[in-house]
Structures are given as C-alpha cells and as structure tokens.
Amino acid sequence: MAILTFLLNLAGATMLLLFAVRMVRTGIERSFGAQFQRWLTQRESLAGSGATGVVMALILQSSAAVALLASGFAAAGYLSFSAGLAVVLGGDLGSALIIQVLSFRLDWLIPLLLTVGGWLFIKTEGRKWRQAGRILMGIAFILISLQLLRATMEPIKDSAFLPAIAEYLARDFITAFIVGAALAFVMHSSVAAILMCVTLVHIGAIPFAAGLSLVLGANLGSAGIPVYLTRGMNPEGRRIPLANLALRGTWSLAALLGINLGSDPALLIIAAPGQSLIYAHVAFNLSLLLVGLTLCRPLARPFAAMLPSNAQAAPEQHEEVSVLDHDAVHTPQLAIASLKREILRMMGLVERMYGPIQSLYQEGDRARMRAIKLQDSAVNAALLSIRRYVADIPLDKYTKEEAKIVRSLMEYAIRLEAAGDLVSGQFLRTAQEKEEGGVQLSDDGWSELRHMFEAVRANFKLASNVLISDDLESARLLVMEKTEIKQEERRSRKRHLQRLSEGRADSFESSDIHLETLRALRDMNGHISAVAYPILYRNGQLLETRLIQTMEDDPDQ
C-alpha cells in the first residue's frame, strides 16, 4: 500500500508540473504568438539567433516549443537551416537557465501568485490581462508541484530499496543515461524531468554521479521530442530538429564518457549537490551552444542531402483533389466531418496564398504574384465542390441542429473564398501599385502593418483549431483576437493621420497604400474569424445586437 501511495503521489506531482509548464506556455503564446515569427526571423547573425532562442525559451519555459516554432518557420520558408539550428541551440540553454530559476525555494511567493493570477484571470476581461493571470497561476502551480515532489521523495530516501537502486545507477552510468533520456521523452518536458532529478539529488535520494548521468540522458531525450513532433512536416522543417538531435546526442555521449571514464564526477561538486547538478547542466548547454554555432552552416549541406526537398509539382496536384465523401451525405456525422476536412483543405489553400504577401510588399516578385492568382482558382473550385456537396445533402432528414451546422459550414466556405479573392485582388493590386510607383512605406507605418500581418497569420492557426475542435474557449479567444486587430487597425489609422498632420513626406506618399492594406488586413481577419460565431451562438455566448434594447424616456422632451 505504501508503494502504491508513493507512485500515486509521484504521478500526481509530475502531472501537475507538466500541466503548469504547459499553462505558462499557453498564456504566453496567446499573448505574444503573433510576434514570435518576427523575433525568430529578424536576426542576421547566428549569435543573434542563438540569443533569440535563449530569450524565447525563458519566455515559453520549453526548449521543445522553441524547436517546434523554428521548424515551422523553416518549413514555411521564413527561416534558414543555420539560423533555425542556432535558435534551437539557444533554446536549450534558455531551458537550462529556467531550471536554475525554478530551483530556488520560493514557497513564500505561491500565495501571492495564486491571488494575483486568479484575480486577473477571473475578474478581468482584457485578453492580455487574462493571459497574464494564466501565466502567474501556472508559475504558482510549478512551485506547488516542486513542493509535492520534495514531500513525496523525502520519506523514501531512508528506505531499504532506494540506496540499492541509487548505487546501481551510480555504477552503471549507461543505464542511468538511458533512463534519463526515456524519462525526458515520456514526460515531453526536459524542464520537468531535470527538475525531478535535481530534487532527488537535493534531498539525498540518489547520489550526484547518478543524477549527472540522468541529466545528460535527459538532454538527449529532450532533443528527441521535437524530432517526434515534426515527423509530419516537410523536409525543410525536419532537418533542424534532426541536426539538433545529432549535435546534442554526440555532445551528451562525449560528456558522459569523458566524465565517468576520464575523471571522477565528484570533482564537479562545487556547491550543494543539487545546485552543482544545475551548474553542470547549464555548462553543458552553454558549451554545446558555443560549439554548435560554428557547425550550423557546415551542417546545412549534409542534412539537405539527407532530407532533400520535395518536388513542388506533386503537392500542387494533391491540393486540388477534393476530400469530400459523397457516399456519406446520408449520415449526418460523417457528412459534417467530410465538410470540415474539405474546408480545412480550403483554409490551407488560402493560408498559402496569404503567406508570401508580406514579403511581396518588400520585394514585388511578379512571378510569385502570378502564382498566387493561379492558386485562387483552386479555392474557387473548392467552394464549388462544397456547394454541390451541400446541395446533395438531404437536409430534411437531418435534425435541426445538424442542418444548422451544415449551413454554417457552407457560409464559412463562402467567407474563405472571399478571403482568397481578397488576397488575389486587393493585396496583390496594392503590392503591385507600391512596386510600380516606387512607394516606400515609413518605418513606423511598415512596423504597424507587419505586426498586423503576423497577427492575421497567427489567427489562421487558431481558426483551424476552432474548426476542428469546436472548442468554446478557443472560439472566444479568436473573436477577442478579431476585436484586438480591429482596434489595432483604428490605432494605426490614427497614428498614420497624425504623421500626415506633422507633414511627414514618407507617410504622405504611402498614405493610400497604408490605408488600403489596413482595411484589407481587417477584412481578411474578419473572414477567417467567422468560424467562431456559430460555436458562440450555440453556447449562448453571443449577443443578438450591440444596440441598447430599452431606453428611458427623456423628461425634457
């Protein structure tokens, strides 16, 4: 019974730690998700990219999240292999620094974080304030989970079986290394796995030598997480995590063999054992970053040969194939699922059309403009196939709720087609006018537009999640993001008019381009955010009108 209680407490503390880390990361992504691409892609030097990775890992509290972002941007063509690998290596160092911060005894901070975070999340309506509350609550939960881990491990450090296991791991460092790698991969969090190892060493449950082997193994296991999670990406996205795994695996094995065969691990104890383990982990990742930065560019060629780019013709042919199942029209659930798959494909087509628009405002590539116009025909064809499919559905045999869902999906497909027309029409026309007229946007104006471009791009992902999951919270977030973009459009328009009133020539010359792009971005975001409204309406989360329904009589009239 005691063993069962111990395992249950250990599992509970571990799950709370994983949940808390994810809670913090979710809050930060929802607050600053649209800015991550700019942070990742604006650095020109490898050292700058590495520093960006450190900062982003400190923000997201996860090196795996940084690796996934870098892989995603590399797959989309926004980030080179060498810069992406530098970002990932920096993210690993940032993750190690997080462990140092979280290792401090901050129990006194827990009630304050819970109070402030809970109040912000429950009582405030502003999106960023609510996400700030989520982040503070997540940090409090991390500290609580570490308390639970210490309390769970404390009674067993004097047990009969633990010393035998600990001594075995200290002697057989290869087994300890494998256990550490498996632990980090299964937990899907190097922060959580290494914090657990540090806690065990700190309370004396395992010796420092065993903890060091576990931590080195955890570094290898954590590098395997993004490799597994990016297995469905195109080759450009998969090269970066594979290169990171190769570097990290080689470096961790070299450190493991060098420390255990070439010297005594006890020589690394320069402070308390738990603190020394953290120092060793930080030193490992810092040395790997310094060495890895020199290899980022030389590794590009071999990994490109290992994972060559796919031919471009095949995906284009595949994208034009409808996924609608005409045999499922008499089965409501299957027909709705088929509609969602086709609309998701249609959304992907529109997103690919929208992706290059920001760069076209800077480069004005005529060939890419023509390619985007050709892609619009695939969007139109998708809408036509959806219309025919819905016409074949016997709605009189569906329930009232099922018929509403079919109609709302049809309406959303129409909005997506309008979004495609907006890209191939207004956006391309404005970009072409900018190029032909040699118009240069002001630095302030381009910064505002770039921020909105990124925000709309992030909302494509959120809209896809809402379409698939029908999640109420995600739908609410998407509508709040829509409101935020409308407010940002108004703020940018006011700032632009202010610059005009100040007589700035660059703003005057680019006024039409700036204002037309603002309107197009607002309309674009409105189209893709429309997927949220049926979900909000079904759950009673949507007002019928913003007008005041009853007004008091004016006694003066």
Side-chain angles (χ1 to χ4, degrees):
M1 187 64 183
I3 295 177
L4 181 61
T5 302
F6 165 74
L7 292 176
L8 186 61
N9 290 337
L10 179 62
T14 303
M15 288 300 105
L16 179 60
L17 181 57
L18 293 173
F19 170 78
V21 170
R22 179 164 184 168
M23 187 175 180
V24 173
R25 185 168 71 246
T26 300
I28 294 172
E29 286 176 344
R30 289 183 176 180
S31 296
F32 307 104
Q35 301 174 19
F36 284 163
Q37 180 183 345
R38 184 169 72 251
W39 293 349
L40 280 174
T41 58
Q42 68 182 357
R43 304 300 180 188
E44 297 181 358
S45 67
L46 293 181
S49 297
T52 300
V54 173
V55 173
M56 292 194 66
L58 289 170
I59 292 173
L60 294 175
Q61 300 206 356
S62 171
S63 57
V66 175
L68 288 175
L69 285 171
S71 299
F73 290 136
Y78 298 116
L79 194 64
S80 67
F81 170 87
S82 56
L85 183 55
V87 167
V88 174
L89 292 171
D92 291 323
L93 176 58
S95 178
L97 296 174
I98 291 169
I99 294 170
Q100 173 63 80
V101 174
L102 295 178
S103 66
F104 296 131
R105 297 299 294 262
L106 301 172
D107 299 346
W108 58 271
L109 195 56
I110 293 174
L112 179 62
L113 292 174
L114 289 173
T115 301
V116 177
W119 186 83
L120 287 174
F121 188 78
I122 295 172
K123 297 296 184 180
T124 59
E125 295 297 331
R127 177 177 60 88
K128 290 191 180 294
W129 286 113
R130 282 175 58 85
Q131 298 310 320
R134 184 192 297 272
I135 294 167
L136 294 178
M137 293 277 287
I139 295 173
F141 290 156
I142 289 175
L143 298 177
I144 292 172
S145 67
L146 294 177
Q147 281 186 340
L148 293 176
L149 278 174
R150 296 187 192 103
T152 300
M153 296 298 180
E154 191 71 30
I156 69 164
K157 67 178 182 179
D158 298 324
S159 63
F161 70 91
L162 186 61
I165 296 176
E167 289 300 325
Y168 175 75
L169 291 176
R171 291 194 308 272
D172 190 350
F173 57 87
I174 297 295
T175 300
F177 180 81
I178 295 172
V179 169
L183 186 65
F185 185 82
V186 170
M187 295 178 74
H188 266 44
S189 172
S190 61
V191 172
I194 294 172
L195 278 173
M196 180 181 292
C197 296
V198 170
T199 301
L200 291 172
V201 172
H202 176 73
I203 66 174
I206 60 174
F208 176 82
L212 183 60
S213 299
L214 287 169
V215 166
L216 290 173
N219 276 278
L220 173 63
S222 66
I225 297 170
V227 173
Y228 174 75
L229 295 178
T230 59
R231 63 192 185 280
M233 283 188 181
N234 63 28
E236 288 80 1
R238 288 158 50 206
R239 291 171 192 161
I240 292 174
L242 280 172
N244 181 56
L245 177 63
L247 283 175
R248 185 160 295 276
T250 302
W251 200 246
S252 59
L253 281 171
L256 178 76
L257 297 176
I259 292 172
N260 286 277
L261 298 179
S263 62
D264 184 1
L267 296 176
L268 298 177
I269 302 177
I270 57 178
Q275 185 61 54
S276 297
L277 190 60
I278 296 174
Y279 289 157
H281 178 54
V282 172
F284 170 85
N285 283 279
L286 177 60
S287 61
L288 177 59
L289 175 62
L290 295 176
V291 173
L293 287 178
T294 64
L295 299 174
C296 287
R297 289 193 175 92
L299 287 175
R301 188 182 296 275
F303 276 91
M306 184 188 306
L307 291 172
S309 300
N310 294 328
Q312 296 298 317
E316 291 297 326
Q317 294 173 0
H318 177 72
E319 286 170 359
E320 296 181 1
V321 178
S322 172
V323 297
L324 291 170
D325 183 4
H326 289 270
D327 295 330
V329 293
H330 296 285
T331 308
Q333 294 302 320
L334 295 180
I336 290 171
S338 181
L339 267 175
K340 285 188 175 183
R341 287 198 303 273
E342 179 68 5
I343 291 174
L344 189 64
R345 184 183 76 89
M346 189 177 178
M347 187 183 297
L349 293 172
V350 176
E351 186 178 3
R352 290 187 194 94
M353 291 175 62
Y354 174 79
I357 292 297
Q358 182 179 339
S359 61
L360 288 178
Y361 268 67
Q362 298 174 288
E363 300 170 2
D365 189 333
R366 293 296 184 89
R368 296 178 75 184
M369 290 182 181
R370 288 193 295 270
I372 290 173
K373 288 183 179 180
L374 291 175
Q375 291 174 19
D376 188 45
S377 61
V379 177
N380 296 336
L383 177 61
L384 180 60
S385 65
I386 290 173
R387 279 177 172 157
R388 291 172 175 169
Y389 188 80
V390 172
D392 292 339
I393 291 177
L395 290 179
D396 56 329
K397 304 292 180 62
Y398 283 35
T399 66
K400 184 177 180 180
E401 186 63 28
E402 291 165 347
K404 282 183 178 179
I405 293 174
V406 170
R407 283 192 289 268
S408 66
L409 290 173
M410 179 71 239
E411 291 171 0
Y412 187 57
I414 295 172
R415 297 293 294 267
L416 286 177
E417 194 271 341
D421 289 343
L422 195 62
V423 174
S424 62
Q426 182 66 61
F427 278 112
L428 289 186
R429 188 162 54 248
T430 306
Q432 189 170 350
E433 289 175 2
K434 179 180 178 297
E435 181 203 8
E436 292 176 350
V439 178
Q440 292 295 324
L441 292 163
S442 65
D443 291 340
D444 293 336
W446 177 241
S447 177
E448 294 163 8
L449 290 178
R450 185 175 60 185
H451 175 76
M452 288 191 63
F453 270 115
E454 294 166 355
V456 174
R457 183 180 296 111
N459 282 348
F460 266 105
K461 305 299 183 185
L462 184 54
S464 300
N465 294 337
V466 172
L467 175 66
I468 296 170
S469 66
D470 283 340
D471 178 58
L472 178 59
E473 179 63 26
S474 297
R476 286 180 59 87
L477 178 62
L478 183 57
V479 172
M480 286 190 285
E481 291 283 355
K482 177 186 175 183
T483 303
E484 181 71 20
I485 286 181
K486 288 177 66 176
Q487 293 173 349
E488 183 61 31
E489 186 257 345
R490 285 196 292 267
R491 287 192 293 265
S492 179
R493 190 169 61 245
K494 289 179 180 178
R495 287 192 289 263
H496 178 72
L497 295 176
Q498 177 64 33
R499 290 192 291 269
L500 290 179
S501 67
E502 294 171 356
R504 292 180 54 173
D506 52 356
S507 294
F508 182 80
E509 294 172 357
S510 62
S511 183
D512 288 343
I513 301 294
H514 186 93
L515 295 177
E516 288 173 5
T517 305
L518 281 178
R519 285 193 297 271
L521 286 167
R522 181 197 62 196
D523 294 342
M524 185 78 184
N525 189 70
H527 289 317
I528 64 175
S529 301
V531 69
Y533 288 102
I535 299 171
L536 296 175
Y537 184 81
R538 288 198 300 269
N539 288 274
Q541 298 285 309
L542 200 62
L543 296 175
E544 293 288 347
T545 176
R546 289 182 289 180
L547 291 174
I548 298 174
Q549 297 298 309
T550 58
M551 298 184 66
E552 297 180 1
D553 293 334
D554 190 342
D556 296 331
Q557 292 183 352

